[in-house]
Each structure stands twice: as structure tokens, then as C-alpha cells.
């Protein structure tokens, strides 16, 4: 399959309609990005690579890192993890407080902010040096030992993280946060600040296409059953209150971030990353969603 040619064709067809959306502005550092950026990278399980546009430029992966922290926490903690966070779609925005009060401090799932903050709390309890240990984990997964946190982004998130602070305090009041709030939030903001290229990110997520074992290094990240479950959670919860729309139109498990990135995986086939910073009202990349919808339609590669 000549994916490179297809990428260019799909891009042309979308460009004609003019891309809509707005760059995330609630984190000032994110609003500085050039809205015209657009990159795509697809990695097959046999390590064949196809790319388009700004695929080798680093961008802030934001909430996409929530899948990676969940992977690490799940491999350490096992099924006990689900006592502290649910596996149900939230149907609310990523930073919503509404259901948290109702559910007595137990987040609906690990891919919304509240759930990811609980995952951070678990990792802070379990890891000796959470920030360094997490970095080591994703450096090995991506094969890029230079990956790092972006300190400017961390500062920006800290200064404007009012809702995240509200979420963590509410959960603490229900005894679902064990550690010091500032330590947990520092770790959370660092996770959000990681920068990767489309190529690095699609390579990093390859282990979820092959039942939890990285097909390039043959390293076992976690069991087949855990991998299947993470994919199920991505399918149901990866796009906040637009998860249904993504399943309906694209038909792959995936995860978005407010930096404009989307990763989607096709089990036993490929991992694909699209990056376009203009977001729709739900906080997902406008062009990224459109592109993936056309891609899975033209290649007939939805999982359904
Ligand atoms: N850092 C962002 C936040 O906590 C992540 C949100 C996202 O990508 N959806 O608000």
C-alpha cells in the first residue's frame, strides 16, 4: 500500500474545505504554536514507515502521555488499579468536575484529567524517582534516549492549572490521593509537557498493536490481556465527550491531546499519528479527526 501517496491525496482533499478550529489557549505556552503545522506518520508492525508534512517536528503530546503513564502504572499495580479509577466513558470534557463529586472521588476513567492525576499519585507512591523513572520508560519504548520534559510548558501549566488543582483537591477530600498534592501535580504537569515527533509517537505506541510486546525490540511491556484492556479504554474514553464520534467515524482505538496530536492504532497492522494544532470545541484536533476518518475509509481499515 502506497500510504505516502494516500496521505498527500487526503491532505489535498481536506485543505480544499479549509481547516477550522482554534489552537488551545488556556495554557499560554500552547497558544504559541503555528496553527498551520501538519504532520502524519504511520509505522507498521514490520517497522515500515510512511510520513507526510511536519512529521519530524516535535510537538507537545499533552494528554496522549496519559496512555503511557497508565501503561506503566497498570504493569506495576495490576488489577488493584481499578479500585481507584473506573473504565467508563465520561461523556464530559477532559477537565470536568461534575461526575467526580457524584462518584465520591473515583474518576470515570484514567484518560480524563482526574483519572490521570490518580495514576500519577499511584506512580508517585510506587516509583523511587517518578520523573526520571517515567522518562526512562518512555525513552526505552520510543528508542529515543533524548526525550525530555519541556520545563517552559510545565511552568505554563502550573500557572494556569486551576481546574486540575480543583480536581486533585476534590479527590484528596475523598481519600483517593495518597501523596502531597504539589508532588502529584508537578509529576502530572511534567507528563503533559513531553514533546515528540509524529514518527517517535507512532513508534512508541506500536506495543499496543501487538498484544503488549514491542514488535521491534521484542520487549514485553505487559501481558496480552492488559494490552487488550488499554485498547478498550482508548476506544471508549480516548476522546473525552467525542469518543463515540471517533469510534463512529474513524473506528480505531486512539488518544488525543490538546497539543493537536492524535494517535490511533490498528491491532496487528499499524500505529498512526496525526498532528494539527487547530482543535474543535471538544479539544480534539479538527483536521486530525477528519484525516483519520478519510484514511480508515479509503483503506477500509477500521477495526469494525
Ligand atoms: N495538560 C492538559 C491539562 O491538564 C492536558 C489536557 C489534554 O490534552 N486534554 O489541561
Amino acid at each position: 500500500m502506497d500510504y505516502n501517496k494516500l496521505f498527500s491525496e487526503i491532505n489535498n482533499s481536506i485543505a480544499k474545505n479549509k481547516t477550522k478550529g482554534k489552537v488551545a489557549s488556556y495554557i499560554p505556552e500552547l497558544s504559541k504554536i503555528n496553527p498551520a503545522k501538519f504532520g502524519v506518520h504511520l509505522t507498521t508492525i514490520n517497522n515500515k514507515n510512511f510520513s507526510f508534512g511536519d512529521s519530524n517536528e516535535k510537538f507537545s503530546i499533552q494528554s496522549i502521555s496519559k496512555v503511557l503513564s497508565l501503561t506503566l502504572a497498570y504493569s506495576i499495580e495490576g488489577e488493584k488499579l481499578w479500585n481507584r479509577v473506573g473504565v467508563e466513558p465520561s461523556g464530559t470534557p477532559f477537565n470536568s468536575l461534575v461526575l467526580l463529586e457524584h462518584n465520591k472521588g473515583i474518576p470515570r476513567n484514567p484518560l480524563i484529567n482526574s483519572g490521570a492525576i490518580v495514576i500519577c499519585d499511584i506512580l508517585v507512591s510506587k516509583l523511587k524517582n517518578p520523573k526520571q523513572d517515567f522518562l526512562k520508560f518512555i525513552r526505552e519504548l520510543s528508542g529515543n534516549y533524548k526525550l525530555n520534559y519541556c520545563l517552559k510548558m510545565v511552568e505554563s501549566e502550573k500557572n494556569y492549572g486551576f481546574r486540575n488543582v480543583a480536581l486533585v483537591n476534590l479527590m484528596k477530600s475523598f481519600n483517593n490521593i495518597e501523596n502531597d498534592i504539589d508532588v502529584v501535580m508537578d509529576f502530572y504537569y511534567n507528563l503533559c509537557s513531553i514533546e515528540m515527533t509524529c514518527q517517535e509517537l507512532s513508534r512508541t505506541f506500536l506495543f499496543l498493536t501487538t498484544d503488549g510486546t514491542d514488535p521491534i525490540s521484542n520487549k514485553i511491556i505487559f501481558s496480552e490481556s492488559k494490552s487488550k484492556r488499554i485498547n478498550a479504554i482508548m476506544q471508549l474514553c480516548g476522546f473525552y465527550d467525542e469518543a463515540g464520534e471517533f469510534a463512529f467515524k474513524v473506528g480505531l482505538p486512539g488518544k488525543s491531546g490538546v497539543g493537536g496530536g492524535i494517535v490511533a492504532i490498528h491491532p496487528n497492522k499499524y500505529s498512526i499519528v496525526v498532528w494539527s494544532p487547530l482543535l474543535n470545541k471538544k479539544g480534539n484536533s479538527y483536521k486530525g479527526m477528519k484525516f483519520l476518518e478519510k484514511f480508515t475509509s479509503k483503506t477500509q481499515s477500521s477495526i469494525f
Side-chain angles (χ1 to χ4, degrees), residues 168-181:
V168 74
N169 275 285
L170 188 56
M171 292 191 289
K172 185 99 180 162
S173 78
F174 283 109
N175 296 319
N176 198 19
I177 294 290
E178 290 172 354
N179 297 283
D180 181 83
I181 281 178

Side-chain angles (χ1 to χ4, degrees), residues 26-27 30 61-64 66 94-95 111 113 157 164 188-189 192-193 240 255-259 283:
Y26 75 105
I27 302 169
L30 270 181
I61 72 167
Q62 289 291 321
S63 281
I64 297 175
K66 291 177 167 77
F94 57 85
N95 53 10
L111 301 184
N113 289 15
E157 300 231 22
N164 290 324
Y188 173 82
Y189 295 132
C192 295
S193 83
Y240 324 112
K255 181 75 197 89
S256 65
V258 291

Side-chain angles (χ1 to χ4, degrees), residues 76-94:
I76 296 172
E77 189 77 342
E79 305 311 316
K80 269 195 305 189
L81 189 82
W82 310 117
N83 297 332
R84 297 193 44 198
V85 59
V87 295
E88 299 296 341
S90 67
T92 55
F94 57 85

